[in-house]
Amino acid sequence: MPDGMHELDPAIAPEGPFIMFDAGKNGSDQPDHLYIAFREGNGWGGAIDLGDAVDAYRPWGAHLGPDGTTLCFTGSHTTRTSWPRTRAEAERDLARARAWDNGVDHIYSVSLQPWLTAHKTRQAGQNFTAGVSP
């Protein structure tokens, strides 16, 4: 975990092979990223950021689904807006405000299989690409 970060909302997989958590900068109550760490002996290995595919949602509140391989989290996903706005853009903005992904927090889910597979591949001593994203 980078210096100056705090960890929140740990979720340990059944039987303990990995832990999920969100983390943010010290002094901020808003997490920045979701992480996974795998069991190594009696402790945890290094934290692996789930990357842009998840971080784009400004995630927080890591929870595991009943299958133990689905990550559920809260976040807000918004579209960037620039100014000034034309009438057509303003009308699209109003439509966006009514949409499900309007910047208000929602619950999202993502399969953890890419990270679990990469970890198994690494344990088997095979090559894999770091930073796997769903």
Side-chain angles (χ1 to χ4, degrees):
M1 181 59 39
D3 288 339
M5 300 286 280
H6 63 277
E7 297 88 21
L8 305 162
D9 300 318
I12 300 175
E15 301 179 27
F18 64 90
I19 186 172
M20 302 296 312
F21 58 93
D22 46 85
K25 296 177 182 147
N26 286 334
S28 168
D29 62 354
Q30 185 65 29
D32 297 314
H33 303 275
L34 289 180
Y35 294 87
I36 188 170
F38 293 94
R39 168 91 42 209
E40 290 185 3
N42 291 328
W44 299 108
I48 301 167
D49 188 337
L50 296 188
D52 293 340
V54 174
D55 294 340
Y57 290 83
R58 297 190 341 237
W60 59 275
H63 301 280
L64 290 173
D67 66 0
T69 63
T70 300
L71 172 66
C72 299
F73 60 94
T74 304
S76 56
H77 185 67
T78 59
T79 302
R80 293 185 185 261
T81 304
S82 60
W83 301 97
R85 312 294 290 153
T86 66
R87 180 174 180 84
E89 290 170 325
E91 288 172 0
R92 282 194 303 269
D93 292 344
L94 289 172
R96 290 280 309 140
R98 295 180 187 112
W100 67 271
D101 59 346
N102 61 5
V104 177
D105 286 340
H106 294 280
I107 298 173
Y108 299 95
S109 66
V110 64
S111 173
L112 293 173
Q113 281 309 137
W115 293 276
L116 300 176
T117 300
H119 178 70
K120 284 181 184 176
T121 302
R122 184 175 62 228
Q123 281 187 316
Q126 301 172 11
N127 291 332
F128 74 100
T129 303
V132 175
S133 296

